[in-house]
Amino acid sequence: MPTHEGRILTTHVGSLPRPPGLRAMLLDKDAGKPVDQVEFDRLLTDAVKETVQRQVAIGLDFVSDGEMGKIAYSTYLADRLAGYSGSGPGTVARDMLDFPDFMKTASRGLGIKRPLCEGPLGMKNPEPLRADLRNFKSAAAASSPNGAFMTAASPGVTAYFLRNRYYPSHEAYLAALVPFLREEYEAIIAAGFDLQLDCPDLAMARHLGYSDLNDAGFRRLSETSLEALNEATRNIDPARMRLHLCWGNYAGPHHYDLPLEAVLPLALRSRARAISFEGANPRHEHEWELFETFRLPEDRVVVPGMIDSATNFIEHPRLVAQRIERYARVLGRERVVASVDCGFGTSAGSTGVDAGIAWAKLESLVAGAKIASERLWRA
């Protein structure tokens, strides 16, 4: 993942708004309803092609397939691996419990199942990954982006969303996931794409699911997940990987979010060269200050969010430029890639940000990066 060409480069976190027809079919499939597979394949191929074209036209440097073929970044493996069945209960964020009136009216818009691991894991259906790689390769060849990446769930986030009811321990469940995830990760690299490892469990899970653990217990859980992640990526060049962490992509109070200073050292235990994290929303925008004192290893780069993914405000390009410059001035302009806090379509049921507004926000990201580049390179 190159970090500059005499300017600030831009990307996003992976998921983008799905076309209504494809979105409806993904939700039907998740609900167990029959769908026309031929029509689904056509819609998926067209969606990836159009999504890649639009990213390139906007001027984004590193593009993805938009996660068009996935019901959600966090649960798609249940459709690909044997051993999953039923649907486990959702979790309520600790921050929402403090505001019961708000919790009654707030909707995170997921509407998807969270199957449980109730049997031994095994490969059930390799075709969705093959289709994702095939569609993305074709779309990238047609649009020639500066760079291309594909997202994949980490062992830790999979274990968080698809809870274990079969293996004797959390560690055993993670170990069982590793060979299947390693195969997926290496297939993405072999196809010519960079790999984004989705690890929101390192931050989000503290207040959304594991709030009953003490700090030491949660840290041990995170360390175990990172050990599994490093084992699954042991054959991959760190320069081809970036790790994404976040605190939950929902518009809530977030006053129990762990500070970045508590999460970043854990994330840096991964083998990924680049670390992606929230940097634009009101709870975490101030955390650029951490890098005034925290020594980021010389071989690492940051991919902070400059656009909030949970609000329909369209950020002004000058504000985006200001955010970029804060990081560039404390870390060096060569070590910053401008991104988005999280995805705009983390599940097919996501409804938080209007699709048209999401694309407009990405345009503002690119415009802001141009302003920042003028100041940082040619001032």
Side-chain angles (χ1 to χ4, degrees):
M1 183 180 182
T3 53
H4 74 101
E5 296 176 352
R7 60 186 177 88
I8 295 292
L9 301 182
T10 57
T11 188
H12 59 92
V13 173
S15 66
L16 294 168
R18 299 166 180 81
L22 176 62
R23 181 173 178 266
M25 292 190 80
L26 283 166
L27 290 170
D28 283 347
K29 290 182 72 172
D30 189 60
K33 299 177 182 178
V35 300
D36 183 333
Q37 188 63 43
V38 173
E39 177 65 5
F40 177 82
D41 292 344
R42 184 189 70 80
L43 288 174
L44 177 57
T45 299
D46 290 348
V48 174
K49 180 180 180 181
E50 292 168 7
T51 296
V52 172
Q53 286 177 340
R54 193 165 186 177
Q55 291 170 80
V56 173
I58 285 174
L60 288 165
D61 292 295
F62 304 107
V63 310
S64 79
D65 68 342
E67 298 179 11
M68 292 290 118
K70 295 174 179 173
I71 182 64
Y73 82 96
S74 54
T75 64
Y76 70 92
L77 280 174
D79 185 48
R80 304 182 182 190
L81 300 182
Y84 293 107
S85 59
S87 184
T91 54
V92 178
R94 183 185 176 199
D95 58 332
M96 301 287 262
L97 291 173
D98 281 1
F99 302 94
D101 291 339
F102 173 72
M103 188 170 66
K104 290 176 184 176
T105 58
S107 172
R108 291 168 59 204
L110 294 178
I112 59 171
K113 294 190 300 185
R114 293 170 58 166
L116 299 168
C117 178
E118 299 183 315
L121 296 181
M123 179 53 66
K124 179 177 68 174
N125 186 7
E127 181 53 30
L129 174 59
R130 294 171 183 167
D132 285 348
L133 294 171
R134 185 169 60 246
N135 286 329
F136 196 18
K137 286 184 73 171
S138 176
S143 295
S144 301
N146 189 21
F149 71 97
M150 183 173 279
T151 65
S154 66
V157 81
T158 302
Y160 170 73
F161 278 97
L162 305 177
R163 294 298 179 96
N164 172 42
R165 295 293 184 271
Y166 174 78
Y167 289 94
S169 67
H170 181 72
E171 292 78 8
Y173 181 33
L174 290 173
L177 283 165
V178 163
F180 299 104
L181 289 171
R182 179 187 295 128
E183 183 176 356
E184 178 177 346
Y185 300 162
E186 293 182 0
I188 290 170
I189 295 295
F193 308 124
D194 285 346
L195 171 65
Q196 177 176 296
L197 300 156
D198 286 329
C199 300
D201 55 297
L202 298 179
M204 172 191 73
R206 184 71 187 100
H207 66 276
L208 216 172
Y210 295 134
S211 58
D212 57 323
L213 296 178
N214 59 29
D215 289 345
F218 181 72
R219 184 176 183 84
R220 284 194 298 272
L221 192 75
S222 298
E223 290 171 345
T224 302
S225 296
L226 284 166
E227 289 170 4
L229 181 68
N230 285 339
E231 174 62 21
T233 61
R234 66 186 183 191
N235 299 323
I236 300 175
D237 180 355
R240 299 287 304 279
M241 297 187 289
R242 67 194 204 190
L243 179 149
H244 173 66
L245 60 90
C246 80
W247 288 261
N249 193 28
Y250 63 94
H254 284 277
H255 57 303
Y256 290 117
D257 285 10
L258 288 170
L260 181 62
E261 65 188 60
V263 183
L264 185 60
L266 280 171
L268 289 170
R269 292 191 179 193
S270 79
R271 299 182 64 253
R273 180 184 180 217
I275 307 295
S276 159
F277 53 88
E278 298 177 15
N281 68 60
R283 193 68 192 182
H284 295 282
E285 183 178 1
H286 70 285
E287 291 183 317
W288 66 272
E289 295 175 329
L290 171 64
F291 295 99
E292 293 182 323
T293 55
F294 180 87
R295 183 173 177 81
L296 187 73
E298 293 297 325
D299 64 336
R300 302 299 182 98
V301 300
V302 296
V303 191
M306 305 297 170
I307 294 290
D308 189 337
S309 56
T311 174
N312 283 285
F313 275 97
I314 299 173
E315 291 82 351
H316 196 286
R318 287 171 60 187
L319 173 61
V320 173
Q322 290 170 9
R323 289 171 172 169
I324 292 170
E325 289 177 70
R326 292 171 189 163
Y327 282 92
R329 296 198 188 282
V330 296
L331 287 171
R333 60 193 183 184
E334 296 83 5
R335 305 180 75 188
V336 179
V337 176
S339 186
V340 178
D341 276 356
C342 198
F344 286 118
T346 51
S347 82
S350 297
T351 57
V353 176
D354 174 81
I357 293 174
W359 286 106
K361 287 164 79 77
L362 291 172
E363 291 174 352
S364 190
L365 174 68
V366 172
K370 289 179 180 178
I371 294 171
S373 296
E374 287 289 333
R375 294 172 178 170
L376 292 168
W377 267 271
R378 288 172 281 280

